[in-house]
Amino acid sequence: MNGFLAALAALTAAQGDALEIAIPHEAGLIAVYAEWEEQRVPLVRDTDRWLTVIGVDLDSAPGAHALVLERDFGAAGRRREPAQVQVTAKQFPTTELTVEPGYVDLSPANQERAAREARETAAIYATLTPERYWSEPFSVPIPGTTSGNNFGHRRVFNGQSRDPHSGADLRATTGTPIYAANRGRVVLAKDLFYSGNAVFIDHGLGVYSVYLHLSEIRVVPGEMLEKGTLLGLAGATGRVTGPHLHWGVRVQNARVDPFSLPGL
Ligand SMILES: [Zn+2]
């Protein structure tokens, strides 16, 4: 089996995983794309390899999912190679939470606001920037933290079922400095109804990291952040039971565990 086929054999991921795809460079190869879950994701060249990251949503069905790798050799044509990612099931517990009633039974004004913000964030996640802004491994936004809590948990707020928890909660007191997990562009930095003070970073290739419930925001939309840039301070704004950092990652719109990113 050559290196290309070897790279595509036995791809497996759990629900809620980010999965790095790497294939070897070959003479004449000018572009590579992965077709994954209805999206076309570019791979970027990194010396002797082509790399990208694809996302397996936390609610993705267990079993085989089709992945097609397309290699563009310019005048020599394009080659398409079908492959599969075996998605394995994860057990996500249910968590019961109690929050201020206004975050569960929304006023008409807040309903309208939450719906508008949901459309705004959905449009961000649906945008795939075709370059990779980062080159180093990802790191945890609170140095020294090695794990998060509650990723994928089914949630019941004040007795009512809500969306699963799509990020990792990191222990933090109000005022704890929060640093960018990798290089990328700030695409949102403002107060949201559920998320409180929020910072969204576009890392390129459809990878976004978000930092929620901040007490203070220290960056502005459009700013390019280097990995490790101070972006805000942890807090307890929005729908929370206390101060912490909610760190979320989307990969081509799939909700993935930030701790499954390359480097973590
Ligand atoms: Zn959270």
Side-chain angles (χ1 to χ4, degrees), residues 16-20 53 134 136-148 168 170 179-182 203 207-209 211 227 247-249 251 256-264:
D17 271 359
L19 178 63
E20 188 169 50
V53 178
W134 83 92
E136 291 176 44
F138 282 79
S139 63
V140 179
I142 302 174
T145 301
T146 54
S147 65
L170 275 53
Y179 302 98
N182 216 331
H203 299 288
V207 179
Y208 291 87
S209 63
Y211 311 79
K227 175 180 170 176
W247 182 32
V249 169
V251 178
V256 307
D257 186 343
F259 288 89
S260 70
L261 285 170
L264 296 174

Side-chain angles (χ1 to χ4, degrees), residues 117-134:
E117 291 173 352
R119 288 192 296 274
E120 184 181 2
T121 55
I124 289 173
Y125 292 140
T127 303
L128 195 157
T129 300
E131 61 183 295
R132 188 177 70 151
Y133 291 139
W134 83 92

Side-chain angles (χ1 to χ4, degrees), residues 149-150 155 165 167-169 213 244-247:
N149 297 312
N150 311 331
R155 294 182 303 173
H165 187 249
D169 290 333
H213 312 308
H244 69 282
L245 174 70
H246 174 105
W247 182 32

